[in-house]
Amino acid sequence: MKILLVAVNAKYIHSNPAIYSLLSYAGNYREFIETAEFTINHRKEYILQEIYKKKPDVLCFSCYIWNITYVREIAAEFHKLKPEVPVWAGGPEVSYETSAFLKQNPAFFGVMAGEGEVSFLELAEYYCGETGKELLEISGIVFRETNPKRHSSGICQTPQRMPLDLSSLPFPYRDLRGFEHRIVYYESGRGCPFSCSYCLSSVDKKLRFRDIELVKEELLFFIEREVLQVKFVDRTFNCNHAHAMEIWKFIREHDRGKTNFHFEIAADLLTEEELEFLSSLRPGLVQFEIGVQSTNPETIQEIRRTMQLSKVALAVQRIQAAGNIHIHLDLIAGLPYEGYERFARSFCDIYALKPDQLQLGFLKVLKGSYLYERRVAYGLVYFDNPPYEVMQTNWISYDEILNIKLAEEMLEVYYNSGQFEVTMKLCDAVYPDAFAFYQKLGVYCEEHGYLSMQHTRIRRSEILLEFLDTDARMPIDLAKESLLYDLYYRENMKSRPYWARKPIAFAHVTKKFCKKGILSHIEPFFYHFPKKEERSVKELPKRLSEEVYVLFEYDKRDALTHQAKTTEYTAREVTVG
């Protein structure tokens, strides 16, 4: 007997915690179980042939919004080859409207709905023939009934399974082979205390935590093995103050300077004690993802989100003042009661906080969510296939959504990438409406055919320079110098943009200051540029009467931004001696 657990991840760097949790909980049946991980970048034919070559007797897929299309197609082709092999699905993408899923996808025999560990264990017992149970006696599953006398509909659904004790779950990562250079996902709690209408986590109101001593033991395992990043999948990690502080204190005390821990938090719940403590952490030890979603009070109320925006802003600013934690803020377009102009204001409100990243997403109408139930009342028009992204609502048109998408693409390239940090700060001074700036830049790129092409960093700089020159709000010589600064801030460029001076002009300075080879570079500028702590500027710098030299040291990078350490020298300092 061979049971194969298959995951199809969004990227290679990702891993799938679900299949490892199922495997570890299977106990004595682990010897009958194998796992296989692929990505959506693999050809479907390749995934199919690799599954086929493993010759499973039972095939199980972990299903999410990003892979369900792949999974359905691969399962259908596998079923043609091996119709006698039962194919099971599990995960959030198939845990709602399960009967409809089975009717629409005849290749699947059954679905494990909700938490799957105990259901999978009992299925393993069933298929290995070591229990007298029938499928009807296994809770939390939906399957095709082969006896029409018992279920004329052809689909049987057993009672919902009760949530399990998280401390009963074995640690799934005793062997880290195969996790090199990949994110390890970890959960210390399940459920969410909030009721956000667009989110499936709000469905599980049974908030549970893993025993804190077990958590500490497992986190120490990651720290000692110098795992690069551990991403907590807990929803609203800091909803329990004592639990969060225990974990944060533990990772600070045992930090070895290698592992980064990612947490999704509610910034407005942070206490004074937590904010004080967080300021003491090593730069880069933790990073935060904070879902703001909208700053429109009417929208926040309608989506049943509990949040105090003023507290969010204050908490973000306190964390930024310490300069040791990467902050990622989330914004969603297409929410109820938020039209195009009001969304633009939400964008500008959140952008003004200057997070390290601003993730602009588009509403996804997820089956099982409260928002899905209200889809008709809200006039939600969305894609029938995953990721079920909204196209228009009662408040926003498809044309306006497309305009937001232009802004979103430019935001990703020029802000979230961190590759144009200085130039984006200067743009704040001449484009007080940040959303209008990114949207206008997006229109410019669309009109010139730049959106359909892959570009190098230098070409991205050239495109931005073209736009700034056309718009004429920023002196072009300043734009050229700031873009050159950004290029070298990130890396020691192998080639130089066309507007940069020939290196021979300051070769004597390079010889004097650059003793580390490719690990350093020095460049002359006629402007003083804003430093890291200046997250935004209101005035453009004045052109200097005499150039200054900036030394970029790539072996001394910032722990959060990975930008080179910079030191500025006057013209006199580089010539003396």
Side-chain angles (χ1 to χ4, degrees), residues 221-255:
F221 176 87
F222 296 135
I223 293 169
E224 290 178 340
R225 285 153 184 81
E226 297 186 348
V227 172
L228 292 181
Q229 185 176 62
V230 177
K231 190 168 186 176
F232 276 68
V233 295
D234 304 38
R235 298 302 180 188
T236 318
F237 174 78
N238 63 321
C239 64
N240 183 302
H241 169 74
H243 179 80
M245 282 296 289
E246 278 279 300
I247 290 174
W248 286 337
K249 287 179 179 178
F250 182 83
I251 62 176
R252 184 184 68 172
E253 291 167 4
H254 295 83
D255 178 34

mmCIF file of all heavy atoms in Angstrom, residues 221-255:
data_model
loop_
_atom_site.group_PDB
_atom_site.id
_atom_site.type_symbol
_atom_site.label_atom_id
_atom_site.label_comp_id
_atom_site.label_asym_id
_atom_site.label_seq_id
_atom_site.Cartn_x
_atom_site.Cartn_y
_atom_site.Cartn_z
ATOM 1 N N PHE A 221 14.902 24.239 17.715
ATOM 2 C CA PHE A 221 15.340 23.321 16.651
ATOM 3 C C PHE A 221 15.675 24.109 15.385
ATOM 4 O O PHE A 221 16.715 23.894 14.755
ATOM 5 C CB PHE A 221 14.223 22.310 16.374
ATOM 6 C CG PHE A 221 14.495 21.359 15.246
ATOM 7 C CD1 PHE A 221 15.185 20.172 15.462
ATOM 8 C CD2 PHE A 221 14.052 21.636 13.961
ATOM 9 C CE1 PHE A 221 15.426 19.295 14.408
ATOM 10 C CE2 PHE A 221 14.278 20.771 12.910
ATOM 11 C CZ PHE A 221 14.972 19.590 13.137
ATOM 12 N N PHE A 222 14.813 25.051 15.008
ATOM 13 C CA PHE A 222 15.066 25.875 13.821
ATOM 14 C C PHE A 222 16.287 26.782 14.018
ATOM 15 O O PHE A 222 17.113 26.932 13.122
ATOM 16 C CB PHE A 222 13.845 26.741 13.504
ATOM 17 C CG PHE A 222 12.616 25.976 13.135
ATOM 18 C CD1 PHE A 222 11.373 26.312 13.673
ATOM 19 C CD2 PHE A 222 12.670 24.918 12.239
ATOM 20 C CE1 PHE A 222 10.227 25.627 13.321
ATOM 21 C CE2 PHE A 222 11.521 24.213 11.875
ATOM 22 C CZ PHE A 222 10.305 24.567 12.424
ATOM 23 N N ILE A 223 16.370 27.399 15.194
ATOM 24 C CA ILE A 223 17.451 28.341 15.469
ATOM 25 C C ILE A 223 18.804 27.636 15.438
ATOM 26 O O ILE A 223 19.771 28.124 14.836
ATOM 27 C CB ILE A 223 17.232 29.040 16.823
ATOM 28 C CG1 ILE A 223 15.995 29.957 16.748
ATOM 29 C CG2 ILE A 223 18.462 29.845 17.224
ATOM 30 C CD1 ILE A 223 15.535 30.481 18.098
ATOM 31 N N GLU A 224 18.883 26.481 16.077
ATOM 32 C CA GLU A 224 20.145 25.749 16.143
ATOM 33 C C GLU A 224 20.609 25.266 14.780
ATOM 34 O O GLU A 224 21.813 25.129 14.539
ATOM 35 C CB GLU A 224 20.011 24.563 17.103
ATOM 36 C CG GLU A 224 19.901 24.971 18.564
ATOM 37 C CD GLU A 224 19.718 23.802 19.491
ATOM 38 O OE1 GLU A 224 19.298 22.712 19.004
ATOM 39 O OE2 GLU A 224 19.990 23.950 20.701
ATOM 40 N N ARG A 225 19.659 25.006 13.889
ATOM 41 C CA ARG A 225 20.009 24.550 12.540
ATOM 42 C C ARG A 225 20.098 25.704 11.549
ATOM 43 O O ARG A 225 20.229 25.485 10.343
ATOM 44 C CB ARG A 225 19.009 23.491 12.080
ATOM 45 C CG ARG A 225 19.272 22.149 12.788
ATOM 46 C CD ARG A 225 18.041 21.299 12.907
ATOM 47 N NE ARG A 225 18.345 20.093 13.676
ATOM 48 C CZ ARG A 225 18.402 20.051 15.012
ATOM 49 N NH1 ARG A 225 18.181 21.148 15.711
ATOM 50 N NH2 ARG A 225 18.694 18.919 15.638
ATOM 51 N N GLU A 226 19.985 26.921 12.055
ATOM 52 C CA GLU A 226 20.160 28.149 11.293
ATOM 53 C C GLU A 226 19.263 28.194 10.045
ATOM 54 O O GLU A 226 19.686 28.569 8.957
ATOM 55 C CB GLU A 226 21.630 28.330 10.910
ATOM 56 C CG GLU A 226 22.520 28.485 12.143
ATOM 57 C CD GLU A 226 23.965 28.800 11.805
ATOM 58 O OE1 GLU A 226 24.357 28.678 10.627
ATOM 59 O OE2 GLU A 226 24.714 29.173 12.739
ATOM 60 N N VAL A 227 17.993 27.795 10.242
ATOM 61 C CA VAL A 227 16.991 27.949 9.181
ATOM 62 C C VAL A 227 16.888 29.430 8.849
ATOM 63 O O VAL A 227 16.822 30.274 9.748
ATOM 64 C CB VAL A 227 15.630 27.390 9.648
ATOM 65 C CG1 VAL A 227 14.535 27.723 8.646
ATOM 66 C CG2 VAL A 227 15.724 25.893 9.864
ATOM 67 N N LEU A 228 16.856 29.772 7.558
ATOM 68 C CA LEU A 228 16.906 31.186 7.178
ATOM 69 C C LEU A 228 15.631 31.937 7.555
ATOM 70 O O LEU A 228 15.693 33.052 8.059
ATOM 71 C CB LEU A 228 17.166 31.309 5.673
ATOM 72 C CG LEU A 228 18.553 30.849 5.216
ATOM 73 C CD1 LEU A 228 18.703 31.026 3.720
ATOM 74 C CD2 LEU A 228 19.648 31.617 5.951
ATOM 75 N N GLN A 229 14.472 31.332 7.281
ATOM 76 C CA GLN A 229 13.228 32.015 7.639
ATOM 77 C C GLN A 229 12.179 31.024 8.108
ATOM 78 O O GLN A 229 11.958 29.989 7.475
ATOM 79 C CB GLN A 229 12.660 32.821 6.470
ATOM 80 C CG GLN A 229 11.421 33.644 6.867
ATOM 81 C CD GLN A 229 10.894 34.529 5.772
ATOM 82 O OE1 GLN A 229 10.475 34.051 4.723
ATOM 83 N NE2 GLN A 229 10.912 35.844 5.996
ATOM 84 N N VAL A 230 11.551 31.361 9.236
ATOM 85 C CA VAL A 230 10.410 30.612 9.760
ATOM 86 C C VAL A 230 9.205 31.538 9.694
ATOM 87 O O VAL A 230 9.205 32.613 10.305
ATOM 88 C CB VAL A 230 10.654 30.148 11.207
ATOM 89 C CG1 VAL A 230 9.410 29.442 11.751
ATOM 90 C CG2 VAL A 230 11.866 29.231 11.280
ATOM 91 N N LYS A 231 8.211 31.121 8.942
ATOM 92 C CA LYS A 231 7.028 31.961 8.754
ATOM 93 C C LYS A 231 5.860 31.394 9.549
ATOM 94 O O LYS A 231 5.360 30.309 9.255
ATOM 95 C CB LYS A 231 6.670 32.050 7.267
ATOM 96 C CG LYS A 231 5.616 33.090 6.944
ATOM 97 C CD LYS A 231 5.518 33.336 5.449
ATOM 98 C CE LYS A 231 4.567 34.473 5.130
ATOM 99 N NZ LYS A 231 4.537 34.791 3.687
ATOM 100 N N PHE A 232 5.447 32.130 10.583
ATOM 101 C CA PHE A 232 4.292 31.700 11.380
ATOM 102 C C PHE A 232 3.022 31.880 10.547
ATOM 103 O O PHE A 232 2.786 32.950 9.980
ATOM 104 C CB PHE A 232 4.191 32.531 12.655
ATOM 105 C CG PHE A 232 5.057 32.039 13.777
ATOM 106 C CD1 PHE A 232 6.433 32.125 13.695
ATOM 107 C CD2 PHE A 232 4.493 31.486 14.918
ATOM 108 C CE1 PHE A 232 7.237 31.680 14.728
ATOM 109 C CE2 PHE A 232 5.285 31.045 15.961
ATOM 110 C CZ PHE A 232 6.669 31.128 15.872
ATOM 111 N N VAL A 233 2.202 30.833 10.496
ATOM 112 C CA VAL A 233 0.944 30.917 9.752
ATOM 113 C C VAL A 233 -0.229 31.251 10.674
ATOM 114 O O VAL A 233 -1.371 31.297 10.231
ATOM 115 C CB VAL A 233 0.663 29.606 8.970
ATOM 116 C CG1 VAL A 233 1.705 29.388 7.905
ATOM 117 C CG2 VAL A 233 0.590 28.402 9.908
ATOM 118 N N ASP A 234 0.058 31.510 11.953
ATOM 119 C CA ASP A 234 -0.993 31.923 12.888
ATOM 120 C C ASP A 234 -1.658 33.197 12.376
ATOM 121 O O ASP A 234 -0.979 34.144 11.985
ATOM 122 C CB ASP A 234 -0.404 32.241 14.263
ATOM 123 C CG ASP A 234 0.392 31.091 14.859
ATOM 124 O OD1 ASP A 234 1.090 30.393 14.112
ATOM 125 O OD2 ASP A 234 0.335 30.925 16.088
ATOM 126 N N ARG A 235 -2.979 33.232 12.428
ATOM 127 C CA ARG A 235 -3.714 34.432 12.068
ATOM 128 C C ARG A 235 -3.771 35.367 13.278
ATOM 129 O O ARG A 235 -4.132 34.946 14.374
ATOM 130 C CB ARG A 235 -5.139 34.081 11.608
ATOM 131 C CG ARG A 235 -5.178 33.205 10.371
ATOM 132 C CD ARG A 235 -4.454 33.865 9.217
ATOM 133 N NE ARG A 235 -4.477 33.044 8.003
ATOM 134 C CZ ARG A 235 -3.791 33.326 6.899
ATOM 135 N NH1 ARG A 235 -3.021 34.386 6.872
ATOM 136 N NH2 ARG A 235 -3.865 32.552 5.842
ATOM 137 N N THR A 236 -3.413 36.620 13.063
ATOM 138 C CA THR A 236 -3.367 37.611 14.142
ATOM 139 C C THR A 236 -2.549 37.052 15.309
ATOM 140 O O THR A 236 -3.070 36.795 16.398
ATOM 141 C CB THR A 236 -4.784 38.015 14.605
ATOM 142 O OG1 THR A 236 -5.636 38.180 13.467
ATOM 143 C CG2 THR A 236 -4.750 39.308 15.376
ATOM 144 N N PHE A 237 -1.267 36.868 15.063
ATOM 145 C CA PHE A 237 -0.375 36.216 16.016
ATOM 146 C C PHE A 237 -0.440 36.834 17.409
ATOM 147 O O PHE A 237 -0.371 36.134 18.414
ATOM 148 C CB PHE A 237 1.064 36.282 15.478
ATOM 149 C CG PHE A 237 2.088 35.772 16.441
ATOM 150 C CD1 PHE A 237 2.275 34.411 16.607
ATOM 151 C CD2 PHE A 237 2.839 36.652 17.214
ATOM 152 C CE1 PHE A 237 3.212 33.924 17.524
ATOM 153 C CE2 PHE A 237 3.776 36.186 18.121
ATOM 154 C CZ PHE A 237 3.968 34.810 18.282
ATOM 155 N N ASN A 238 -0.578 38.169 17.481
ATOM 156 C CA ASN A 238 -0.519 38.841 18.782
ATOM 157 C C ASN A 238 -1.883 39.044 19.425
ATOM 158 O O ASN A 238 -2.038 39.897 20.304
ATOM 159 C CB ASN A 238 0.193 40.194 18.650
ATOM 160 C CG ASN A 238 -0.546 41.161 17.731
ATOM 161 O OD1 ASN A 238 -1.093 40.757 16.703
ATOM 162 N ND2 ASN A 238 -0.561 42.439 18.075
ATOM 163 N N CYS A 239 -2.881 38.243 19.024
ATOM 164 C CA CYS A 239 -4.202 38.395 19.649
ATOM 165 C C CYS A 239 -4.174 37.935 21.107
ATOM 166 O O CYS A 239 -5.024 38.319 21.904
ATOM 167 C CB CYS A 239 -5.266 37.638 18.868
ATOM 168 S SG CYS A 239 -5.034 35.852 18.837
ATOM 169 N N ASN A 240 -3.190 37.104 21.452
ATOM 170 C CA ASN A 240 -2.996 36.685 22.837
ATOM 171 C C ASN A 240 -1.658 37.255 23.292
ATOM 172 O O ASN A 240 -0.595 36.782 22.879
ATOM 173 C CB ASN A 240 -3.004 35.157 22.944
ATOM 174 C CG ASN A 240 -2.871 34.672 24.381
ATOM 175 O OD1 ASN A 240 -1.915 34.990 25.072
ATOM 176 N ND2 ASN A 240 -3.833 33.877 24.811
ATOM 177 N N HIS A 241 -1.717 38.270 24.134
ATOM 178 C CA HIS A 241 -0.511 39.001 24.547
ATOM 179 C C HIS A 241 0.525 38.080 25.187
ATOM 180 O O HIS A 241 1.715 38.117 24.842
ATOM 181 C CB HIS A 241 -0.904 40.119 25.507
ATOM 182 C CG HIS A 241 0.248 40.769 26.203
ATOM 183 N ND1 HIS A 241 1.106 41.646 25.560
ATOM 184 C CD2 HIS A 241 0.697 40.655 27.490
ATOM 185 C CE1 HIS A 241 2.031 42.048 26.427
ATOM 186 N NE2 HIS A 241 1.803 41.465 27.595
ATOM 187 N N ALA A 242 0.103 37.267 26.139
ATOM 188 C CA ALA A 242 1.049 36.419 26.873
ATOM 189 C C ALA A 242 1.741 35.431 25.940
ATOM 190 O O ALA A 242 2.953 35.209 26.033
ATOM 191 C CB ALA A 242 0.318 35.680 27.990
ATOM 192 N N HIS A 243 0.974 34.835 25.035
ATOM 193 C CA HIS A 243 1.514 33.851 24.079
ATOM 194 C C HIS A 243 2.550 34.506 23.169
ATOM 195 O O HIS A 243 3.651 33.972 22.966
ATOM 196 C CB HIS A 243 0.359 33.276 23.255
ATOM 197 C CG HIS A 243 0.770 32.273 22.228
ATOM 198 N ND1 HIS A 243 1.040 30.960 22.531
ATOM 199 C CD2 HIS A 243 0.946 32.397 20.885
ATOM 200 C CE1 HIS A 243 1.365 30.305 21.431
ATOM 201 N NE2 HIS A 243 1.320 31.158 20.410
ATOM 202 N N ALA A 244 2.215 35.686 22.633
ATOM 203 C CA ALA A 244 3.128 36.382 21.720
ATOM 204 C C ALA A 244 4.418 36.771 22.431
ATOM 205 O O ALA A 244 5.526 36.575 21.900
ATOM 206 C CB ALA A 244 2.449 37.618 21.142
ATOM 207 N N MET A 245 4.309 37.330 23.638
ATOM 208 C CA MET A 245 5.490 37.784 24.361
ATOM 209 C C MET A 245 6.406 36.613 24.738
ATOM 210 O O MET A 245 7.638 36.739 24.684
ATOM 211 C CB MET A 245 5.086 38.568 25.608
ATOM 212 C CG MET A 245 4.637 39.984 25.319
ATOM 213 S SD MET A 245 5.960 41.017 24.614
ATOM 214 C CE MET A 245 7.035 41.236 26.030
ATOM 215 N N GLU A 246 5.829 35.493 25.106
ATOM 216 C CA GLU A 246 6.642 34.321 25.432
ATOM 217 C C GLU A 246 7.507 33.920 24.239
ATOM 218 O O GLU A 246 8.693 33.611 24.382
ATOM 219 C CB GLU A 246 5.740 33.153 25.834
ATOM 220 C CG GLU A 246 5.282 33.174 27.263
ATOM 221 C CD GLU A 246 6.337 32.636 28.224
ATOM 222 O OE1 GLU A 246 6.744 31.473 28.091
ATOM 223 O OE2 GLU A 246 6.766 33.416 29.094
ATOM 224 N N ILE A 247 6.908 33.921 23.075
ATOM 225 C CA ILE A 247 7.640 33.510 21.867
ATOM 226 C C ILE A 247 8.670 34.559 21.483
ATOM 227 O O ILE A 247 9.830 34.242 21.163
ATOM 228 C CB ILE A 247 6.648 33.241 20.722
ATOM 229 C CG1 ILE A 247 5.855 31.963 21.033
ATOM 230 C CG2 ILE A 247 7.367 33.125 19.377
ATOM 231 C CD1 ILE A 247 4.749 31.653 20.059
ATOM 232 N N TRP A 248 8.295 35.835 21.508
ATOM 233 C CA TRP A 248 9.243 36.879 21.136
ATOM 234 C C TRP A 248 10.436 36.915 22.101
ATOM 235 O O TRP A 248 11.584 37.092 21.676
ATOM 236 C CB TRP A 248 8.533 38.235 21.102
ATOM 237 C CG TRP A 248 7.643 38.394 19.901
ATOM 238 C CD1 TRP A 248 7.738 37.729 18.706
ATOM 239 C CD2 TRP A 248 6.528 39.273 19.771
ATOM 240 N NE1 TRP A 248 6.745 38.129 17.846
ATOM 241 C CE2 TRP A 248 5.993 39.086 18.470
ATOM 242 C CE3 TRP A 248 5.924 40.209 20.615
ATOM 243 C CZ2 TRP A 248 4.890 39.802 17.999
ATOM 244 C CZ3 TRP A 248 4.821 40.921 20.149
ATOM 245 C CH2 TRP A 248 4.305 40.723 18.851
ATOM 246 N N LYS A 249 10.178 36.745 23.386
ATOM 247 C CA LYS A 249 11.276 36.727 24.355
ATOM 248 C C LYS A 249 12.192 35.529 24.124
ATOM 249 O O LYS A 249 13.424 35.638 24.211
ATOM 250 C CB LYS A 249 10.717 36.692 25.787
ATOM 251 C CG LYS A 249 10.122 38.002 26.249
ATOM 252 C CD LYS A 249 9.555 37.880 27.669
ATOM 253 C CE LYS A 249 8.967 39.214 28.137
ATOM 254 N NZ LYS A 249 8.367 39.102 29.494
ATOM 255 N N PHE A 250 11.585 34.405 23.796
ATOM 256 C CA PHE A 250 12.387 33.188 23.592
ATOM 257 C C PHE A 250 13.314 33.322 22.398
ATOM 258 O O PHE A 250 14.502 32.968 22.480
ATOM 259 C CB PHE A 250 11.459 31.976 23.405
ATOM 260 C CG PHE A 250 12.203 30.687 23.241
ATOM 261 C CD1 PHE A 250 12.651 29.982 24.346
ATOM 262 C CD2 PHE A 250 12.473 30.173 21.972
ATOM 263 C CE1 PHE A 250 13.353 28.787 24.200
ATOM 264 C CE2 PHE A 250 13.167 28.991 21.814
ATOM 265 C CZ PHE A 250 13.612 28.291 22.930
ATOM 266 N N ILE A 251 12.783 33.832 21.267
ATOM 267 C CA ILE A 251 13.647 33.921 20.085
ATOM 268 C C ILE A 251 14.731 34.990 20.267
ATOM 269 O O ILE A 251 15.814 34.866 19.694
ATOM 270 C CB ILE A 251 12.828 34.152 18.790
ATOM 271 C CG1 ILE A 251 12.068 35.477 18.832
ATOM 272 C CG2 ILE A 251 11.891 32.989 18.543
ATOM 273 C CD1 ILE A 251 11.323 35.779 17.536
ATOM 274 N N ARG A 252 14.456 36.023 21.083
ATOM 275 C CA ARG A 252 15.514 37.003 21.360
ATOM 276 C C ARG A 252 16.617 36.369 22.205
ATOM 277 O O ARG A 252 17.805 36.541 21.932
ATOM 278 C CB ARG A 252 14.952 38.225 22.085
ATOM 279 C CG ARG A 252 16.030 39.308 22.301
ATOM 280 C CD ARG A 252 15.550 40.489 23.104
ATOM 281 N NE ARG A 252 15.285 40.142 24.512
ATOM 282 C CZ ARG A 252 15.010 41.038 25.452
ATOM 283 N NH1 ARG A 252 14.928 42.319 25.149
ATOM 284 N NH2 ARG A 252 14.774 40.663 26.694
ATOM 285 N N GLU A 253 16.235 35.616 23.214
ATOM 286 C CA GLU A 253 17.214 35.013 24.115
ATOM 287 C C GLU A 253 18.080 33.969 23.428
ATOM 288 O O GLU A 253 19.243 33.774 23.797
ATOM 289 C CB GLU A 253 16.486 34.369 25.302
ATOM 290 C CG GLU A 253 15.843 35.375 26.251
ATOM 291 C CD GLU A 253 14.876 34.723 27.227
ATOM 292 O OE1 GLU A 253 14.775 33.475 27.205
ATOM 293 O OE2 GLU A 253 14.217 35.461 27.988
ATOM 294 N N HIS A 254 17.538 33.295 22.415
ATOM 295 C CA HIS A 254 18.261 32.196 21.767
ATOM 296 C C HIS A 254 18.733 32.538 20.352
ATOM 297 O O HIS A 254 19.228 31.674 19.630
ATOM 298 C CB HIS A 254 17.381 30.945 21.741
ATOM 299 C CG HIS A 254 17.068 30.403 23.105
ATOM 300 N ND1 HIS A 254 16.047 30.916 23.881
ATOM 301 C CD2 HIS A 254 17.647 29.431 23.836
ATOM 302 C CE1 HIS A 254 16.004 30.260 25.031
ATOM 303 N NE2 HIS A 254 16.961 29.356 25.030
ATOM 304 N N ASP A 255 18.607 33.779 19.981
ATOM 305 C CA ASP A 255 18.981 34.222 18.633
ATOM 306 C C ASP A 255 20.463 33.962 18.349
ATOM 307 O O ASP A 255 21.328 34.245 19.177
ATOM 308 C CB ASP A 255 18.681 35.715 18.491
ATOM 309 C CG ASP A 255 19.080 36.274 17.143
ATOM 310 O OD1 ASP A 255 18.983 35.532 16.141
ATOM 311 O OD2 ASP A 255 19.486 37.449 17.095
#
